[in-house]
Amino acid sequence: MSAADEKKGLGNTAFAAKNYDEAIKYYTEAIVLDKKNHVYFSNRSASYAGKKKWESAAIDAKECIKLNPSFIKGYYRLATAQVELGELDGAIATLKQGLNLDADNDQLSRLFRIAKAKKASVSKKSSSLSSSSSSSLLPSSGNQQGNVDSSLAKEIYDLQDQLRSTAREYNIVNANISKAEKEKKMNDITKMELEKLPKRSECKVYRGIGKMFMLSSQNDINDYLDQSIQDDEKKVKDLTQKREYLERRMKSQQQNIIELTKTPSAE
């Protein structure tokens, strides 16, 4: 391990303990030893963010992106600082760059919606103030506020639509898991019953193929059942992993909706 990585390790330990000053010290020492490592700047940016020193966090995040334009965390660090600094247009532009690299990144997508919601809220307030100051000269109008509310409503509707789509896919996967488990159980029972037959039995054994039945040897049917059981086990395993992924995606989408609906009233 290099001396710079040792400093980074010490910084990570301090950061995990929320000792941000110490973490900044160690990451700075790592940077002195290796100015080309983008991770050191990313970690120091996160430490500055922990202290709410958003300008310093933004500077380090920009350097991180400069050193490695494909490092997604750099865009998230920078956009987070820009949002906190009120640089919403800059944050949205940064997030678009990050999403161009990883369109399915949940952190970037969530922050993108928050930044847009904050911008809409700011626009709504500005519109309200402008309307108030000129009310003696111009007739009142709710068009601008309506446009802002409509934009937010569309964002929420799109998220809800994505959530419904994920929920439908989740239900289909659940049904396919149940189907695969039943098929495996039936094959297990069939194999158990087949094993009860005498090995050299003259009993005729048939294997179902679609709507037909084909005379087969016990060994052939055993081999077929073994392969079917393995296929069913793999199918259940793959579908279970997909179900877990969909569960995580639904939770993320639900959280995005909560964040988006809360943002305007929190301003």
Side-chain angles (χ1 to χ4, degrees):
M1 180 185 292
S2 69
D5 279 340
E6 288 181 2
K7 296 294 184 182
K8 175 202 166 195
L10 293 171
N12 289 350
T13 301
F15 182 85
K18 296 185 178 181
N19 189 342
Y20 300 121
D21 286 326
E22 188 173 338
I24 290 168
K25 171 182 173 291
Y26 285 123
Y27 292 138
T28 300
E29 291 175 359
I31 289 168
V32 170
L33 294 168
D34 183 0
K35 295 180 176 63
K36 299 297 182 182
N37 193 311
H38 62 282
V39 175
Y40 302 160
F41 285 96
S42 173
N43 289 1
R44 192 171 69 174
S45 175
S47 300
Y48 279 128
K51 290 177 61 64
K52 300 189 184 303
K53 292 187 175 182
W54 300 112
E55 290 184 356
S56 296
I59 290 170
D60 273 357
K62 287 177 181 178
E63 186 63 23
C64 171
I65 294 170
K66 180 181 176 181
L67 291 171
N68 188 349
S70 65
F71 189 65
I72 297 298
K73 278 188 179 179
Y75 296 94
Y76 180 75
R77 306 269 194 238
L78 177 56
T80 299
Q82 289 171 322
V83 167
E84 294 296 333
L85 290 168
E87 299 171 2
L88 299 176
D89 287 332
I92 290 170
T94 298
L95 290 162
K96 284 181 178 179
Q97 288 180 320
L99 288 167
N100 283 337
L101 296 172
D102 185 0
D104 297 324
N105 188 282
D106 286 339
Q107 279 189 315
L108 294 182
S109 297
R110 174 178 170 273
L111 188 56
F112 182 71
R113 292 188 179 96
I114 291 173
K116 288 185 71 176
K118 281 180 175 285
K119 184 179 177 182
S121 182
V122 169
S123 298
K124 180 177 177 179
K125 287 183 177 180
S126 298
S127 173
S128 177
L129 288 172
S130 176
S131 175
S132 175
S133 63
S134 59
S135 60
S136 60
L137 300 174
L138 297 173
S140 62
S141 171
N143 289 340
Q144 288 179 315
Q145 180 175 338
N147 289 337
V148 171
D149 291 343
S150 176
S151 175
L152 284 172
K154 185 179 184 305
E155 287 286 336
I156 295 170
Y157 175 82
D158 288 344
L159 273 173
Q160 290 172 334
D161 191 48
Q162 292 172 22
L163 179 59
R164 284 191 292 268
S165 177
T166 304
R168 284 194 296 270
E169 190 176 355
Y170 176 84
N171 290 334
I172 291 171
V173 168
N174 253 342
N176 287 334
I177 289 174
S178 296
K179 181 181 177 183
E181 288 175 338
K182 287 179 182 177
E183 289 175 352
K184 180 182 178 300
K185 186 176 181 180
M186 288 176 61
N187 286 326
D188 283 333
I189 292 172
T190 303
K191 184 173 172 61
M192 288 172 59
E193 293 298 321
L194 188 63
E195 289 173 349
K196 291 178 182 179
L197 295 174
K199 293 298 181 183
R200 295 185 178 180
S201 172
E202 295 181 358
C203 294
K204 293 182 179 180
V205 184
Y206 294 85
R207 177 164 71 89
I209 302 177
K211 295 183 179 180
M212 301 175 60
F213 292 92
M214 183 176 72
L215 182 63
S216 305
S217 69
Q218 290 186 29
N219 287 336
D220 286 343
I221 293 179
N222 262 322
D223 290 342
Y224 169 77
L225 289 171
D226 286 339
Q227 185 60 52
S228 296
I229 290 168
Q230 287 181 17
D231 292 344
D232 291 334
E233 288 175 344
K234 184 178 185 305
K235 188 182 294 184
V236 170
K237 180 180 178 181
D238 292 343
L239 287 169
T240 299
Q241 290 177 343
K242 186 173 183 180
R243 180 173 64 183
E244 290 171 354
Y245 161 74
L246 291 171
E247 285 174 348
R248 291 194 299 271
R249 191 165 78 179
M250 282 194 296
K251 287 180 181 178
S252 175
Q253 289 168 337
Q254 289 168 342
Q255 186 61 37
N256 285 342
I257 291 171
I258 291 170
E259 293 288 345
L260 187 59
T261 53
K262 280 185 175 179
T263 302
S265 60
E267 284 294 307

